Amino acid sequence: MSGIAVLLVGALLCFYGIRSLHLAVLAAGFGLGWLIADLFHASLATLFLFALVGALISWVVTTLVFKFSAYFIGGLTGAMAGAKLAEVVQRGDNNWAVSAIVIIAVAVAAAFLADKYRARALLWLTSIGGASMILAGLGRTTDALAFLHQPNPGWEQVTSTLLWIALSVAGWIVQRRLFPEKLGIQTDEGSRR
């Protein structure tokens, strides 16, 4: 059950995130709370609690500072990508300090990119963040895919990373084709008028 919930929220963010900023905020906050709690092997109830609190806090803060929403959403999705990156680069027992440094560094960089490049950066960031949630969810659905959740060094890390990249690119392509108006992209129909 837990893997499926994260998988669905990740798919929503990865393939539909640029469509609605509110949806992106809720999904990114949910994913961030989940992935941070999951780094330290929390129980299912704790994972859902962190995810729901993350979604609520993200939405409230973004609503209060809507002027800075692109910056905030970029930071949230960057933190999700940072949490996945921390999981990929560390071995089994994750270090709080290393995880925090990786998550904060990626979050800050993503926030600045989102603030500067708006929709185009958010397109990439929602795709990358959603892909990390999809893999975390898939890894929790069955033991055969557990390596997607916590890859061991070697082929599992390489495979997990390649799948993360492939899913991110797929999310980028889908969102770009579905929502060109959000990105200011001219479609063939628009250029014929």
Side-chain angles (χ1 to χ4, degrees):
M1 168 59 185
S2 65
I4 294 172
V6 166
L7 175 95
L8 293 175
V9 173
L12 190 65
L13 184 61
C14 184
F15 297 106
Y16 200 76
I18 197 71
R19 178 68 179 123
S20 166
L21 289 180
H22 291 285
L23 174 69
V25 167
L26 288 169
F30 183 93
L32 177 60
W34 181 283
L35 290 172
I36 288 176
D38 194 44
L39 271 172
F40 304 100
H41 314 292
S43 69
L44 178 61
T46 304
L47 289 171
F48 272 110
L49 180 63
F50 268 71
L52 292 175
V53 168
L56 180 64
I57 289 172
S58 300
W59 188 78
V60 168
V61 170
T62 301
T63 300
L64 292 174
V65 290
F66 196 75
K67 188 178 223 179
F68 304 106
S69 65
Y71 184 86
F72 189 69
I73 294 168
L76 280 173
T77 54
M80 289 171 50
K84 180 64 178 172
L85 184 61
E87 185 70 46
V88 169
V89 298
Q90 294 185 73
R91 297 177 190 250
D93 292 330
N94 293 327
N95 182 316
W96 274 94
V98 173
S99 295
I101 290 168
V102 171
I103 292 168
I104 290 169
V106 175
V108 169
F112 281 109
L113 285 172
D115 188 48
K116 181 166 173 95
Y117 297 108
R118 299 282 176 186
R120 292 185 186 267
L122 289 174
L123 171 66
W124 272 109
L125 293 168
T126 56
S127 298
I128 292 167
S132 67
M133 288 176 65
I134 290 170
L135 292 178
L138 278 173
R140 293 178 81 69
T141 58
T142 178
D143 289 340
L145 297 175
F147 74 92
L148 294 174
H149 171 61
Q150 292 181 321
N152 290 319
W155 74 268
E156 289 182 0
Q157 262 184 335
V158 171
T159 304
S160 178
T161 303
L162 291 175
L163 287 172
W164 187 22
I165 292 168
L167 269 173
S168 298
V169 170
W172 179 85
I173 290 169
V174 168
Q175 288 191 68
R176 188 173 160 82
R177 292 187 194 268
L178 287 178
F179 312 114
E181 73 282 354
K182 290 282 187 183
L183 300 165
I185 299 171
Q186 291 271 333
T187 61
D188 289 338
E189 294 173 14
S191 61
R192 290 181 192 163
R193 291 183 196 169

